[in-house]
Amino acid sequence: MSRHPSPRPDPPPPLASMTARCPEDLLAFVPVALGFVPQQSVVLLTFGAGPSFHARVDLPSHESDVPFVIEALVDPCLRHDVERVVIVLYAAAPSLVRDLADRLERALTREGIEVLELMCADGRRWFPMLPGRADQPRGVPYDVSAHPFAAEAVVAGLVTHSSRDALAATLWPDPVAVATVSDVLGGVSPADAGWVRALTHRHAGRGTVPEPADLARLLVSIADPVAREGAWCAIERADAREHVALWTCVLRSAPERLVAGPAAVLGFAAWLAGHGALAWCAVERALEADGSCSLADTVSGLLVSAVPPSRWRPPGPPPPGGAAAHASGGAA
């Protein structure tokens, strides 16, 4: 048990409510909502009867990929009764995404989903792309660096990274922390789910990081899916942000062979906290380390299906001799 817990960075705050009234507002909102400035991407913002969500996918690299991109965006809209959407395509020129924009707009309209705005943005100019909109061959200049939304995000403590790669880099190993944990790995033995749950909740609540010996024992323990369940099943929406901060530090301290467990738990905590882009980055790290990580697969499914965190119900105590029953919103 750590007598002198180490401090860690504050958890990211929840996204504030922002009202967009014009295309420039939408262009300022997207990086704040995603946590990074998108490039070569399709971004979808949704509105309607079901829970609103935002989604981002890479631009298709080949014509044959276009149907899969459209399906990946339309299916969650149908699943969640979306009524209206805004689409922003980030590309070097509107001519490069005209076919994709037209096909995506038609697919949504066929399903009774209204496309409120459809535009292409190249970082300096935006181009209207909805049928019947005034043609703007030179585009409309924009600069959202000093937009009120950006200022509000800074005041609220929200970090907007320059790219998705920059966001993913926040999960890269900390060489000093990895070396420190590696030095004590040989002297620790795995613990059970109860120990994992108690340790992580204590440090999440205090805003601290376990000492190296406890970190090493935690990492060894959650290599076992049963002990890992003790960590992720006990996270609640009310403390998910604190767990995101904790598990980010745990992941960055993990030797490569032990990355999958903390990355998967971080992915779950990030999804529960509403940080979808960070959750994807964590899932990708987990699956790169262990392609059979079941929790990472589960979080990936939640993200692909745009399942809202409000659906999560922590499972009750496990039956004698059994694992916890999984509630709607996640499974190990």
Side-chain angles (χ1 to χ4, degrees), residues 38-122:
Q39 301 168 358
Q40 298 297 301
S41 301
V42 186
V43 175
L44 182 81
L45 308 176
T46 70
F47 314 88
S52 62
F53 61 90
H54 52 264
R56 187 213 67 91
V57 296
D58 292 337
L59 289 177
S61 56
H62 191 272
E63 166 66 23
S64 61
D65 296 328
V66 171
F68 298 103
V69 169
I70 292 174
E71 180 182 6
L73 294 170
V74 174
D75 280 3
C77 292
L78 298 177
R79 190 175 297 112
H80 298 296
D81 298 322
V82 169
E83 297 171 349
R84 298 175 297 278
V85 299
V86 166
I87 304 167
V88 185
L89 298 102
Y90 289 85
S95 59
L96 300 175
V97 291
R98 170 55 69 185
D99 178 64
L100 172 62
D102 290 345
R103 291 169 67 176
L104 181 55
E105 189 272 335
R106 288 197 298 268
L108 289 162
T109 301
R110 278 198 302 270
E111 299 294 347
I113 300 169
E114 181 183 3
V115 180
L116 297 173
E117 185 60 85
L118 174 61
M119 70 178 88
C120 174
D122 65 6

Side-chain angles (χ1 to χ4, degrees), residues 122-178:
D122 65 6
R124 297 176 297 109
R125 296 173 180 271
W126 66 269
F127 302 81
M129 302 191 75
L130 269 178
R133 289 287 174 89
D135 190 22
Q136 294 277 359
R138 297 190 177 185
V140 181
Y142 74 94
D143 178 3
V144 298
S145 60
H147 192 281
F149 289 177
E152 288 177 33
V154 171
V155 171
L158 289 165
V159 177
T160 301
H161 297 274
S162 59
S163 66
R164 189 179 187 276
D165 287 345
L167 173 63
T170 64
L171 306 185
W172 288 355
D174 176 342
V176 174
V178 172

Side-chain angles (χ1 to χ4, degrees), residues 304-332:
V304 167
S305 300
V307 176
S310 59
R311 288 271 304 276
W312 169 242
R313 297 294 182 272
H326 302 131
S328 65

